Amino acid sequence: MLLAIEGISGAGKSTLRDRLLAAARAEGLPLGHIGQFSWLSLPATRTIVRLRGLRAADSTEAISAVRLDLDLHGRHNLAPALARGHVVADRLTLSTACQLALVHGLPVTDCVRQLAHAPAARAKLTILLTTPASLCLERLSHRATPRRFGEDPDTAARLTNLYDQATTAWTEATGLPVLRHPCSTGADLDTLTAMCLCALRQAPAPTARV
């Protein structure tokens, strides 16, 4: 199973990922971690770096770049990783769609449909962390690192709305489920971890290749 954890900065994605990896390891469940992008195409990487820095290039170029990167990610990173076991991604397709929509002023539903074409990169279950933006920003204020993409009140509010639209568009385009839940408290984290572990236990184990 490919499981994607999505949400704005400070929502608890890394915390949930780390808790899930530790819990799966304790149970003996094969679970690896993978990033949002493949970085396997130099031209696509240059465009994605501009996108992540909120520098808008041509929107057609940006969509082509992220589609190419997603295809490469699916074939060369995700498929081999899934052959070894389950995989959790801290950000994946929906985060990229929301970045495209924010930077280029595109409808996020269109961005999702453009990116949902790559079967190898489709998360079988997506977790959208709906932690309130105010709490996310309060958490980020305690970090030693400088503020990054989406880590201001206006952008966080816009991204919250974009993620909400994107998850609906994702399910409509792929038929795949999205679980929406906050990660505001320790109890939330326990609940999310338990739900993810349940889904992983029920998913088929990887089949050994001869």
Side-chain angles (χ1 to χ4, degrees):
M1 168 180 274
L2 174 59
L3 188 154
I5 304 174
E6 303 277 15
I8 67 172
S9 296
K13 296 182 299 298
S14 298
T15 301
L16 175 57
R17 176 203 66 202
D18 293 345
R19 171 72 73 86
L20 189 54
L21 288 168
R25 185 166 54 247
E27 281 197 26
L29 283 171
L31 179 64
H33 167 244
I34 207 156
Q36 181 179 357
F37 299 107
S38 78
W39 308 118
L40 293 174
S41 163
L42 182 56
T45 293
R46 286 173 175 155
T47 300
I48 291 168
V49 168
R50 289 199 300 272
L51 177 69
R52 284 160 61 94
L54 298 181
R55 301 194 303 276
D58 177 76
S59 60
T60 302
E61 176 192 348
I63 290 172
S64 296
V66 296
R67 280 171 61 102
L68 172 60
D69 185 85
L70 197 58
D71 283 334
L72 293 171
H73 205 20
R75 293 202 308 270
H76 299 292
N77 296 334
L78 289 165
L82 288 165
R84 297 189 294 270
H86 307 304
V87 176
V88 58
D90 179 352
R91 296 188 185 272
L92 198 59
T93 308
L94 296 189
S95 286
T96 305
C98 289
Q99 283 181 310
L100 282 168
L102 182 68
V103 173
H104 292 282
L106 301 170
V108 72
T109 53
D110 291 347
C111 296
V112 170
R113 294 189 192 104
Q114 291 270 7
L115 301 183
H117 74 290
R122 286 183 177 180
K124 298 303 180 189
L125 175 63
T126 298
I127 310 296
L128 175 64
L129 298 183
T130 58
T131 309
S134 57
L135 176 57
C136 296
L137 293 171
E138 195 275 331
R139 288 171 174 171
L140 294 171
S141 70
H142 297 295
R143 290 183 179 174
T145 55
R147 290 289 180 92
R148 295 174 292 179
F149 172 81
E151 297 182 1
D152 63 88
D154 289 342
T155 307
R158 291 169 64 192
L159 280 169
T160 296
N161 185 49
L162 287 172
Y163 272 109
D164 183 61
Q165 297 176 52
T167 55
T168 300
W170 175 257
T171 299
E172 290 175 350
T174 66
L176 294 167
V178 177
L179 172 65
R180 306 180 192 218
H181 199 286
C183 191
S184 303
T185 65
D188 287 336
L189 182 59
D190 292 341
T191 298
L192 285 161
T193 303
M195 289 189 292
C196 291
L197 286 173
C198 182
L200 293 174
R201 292 187 199 106
Q202 295 173 358
T207 303
R209 297 180 178 179
V210 179

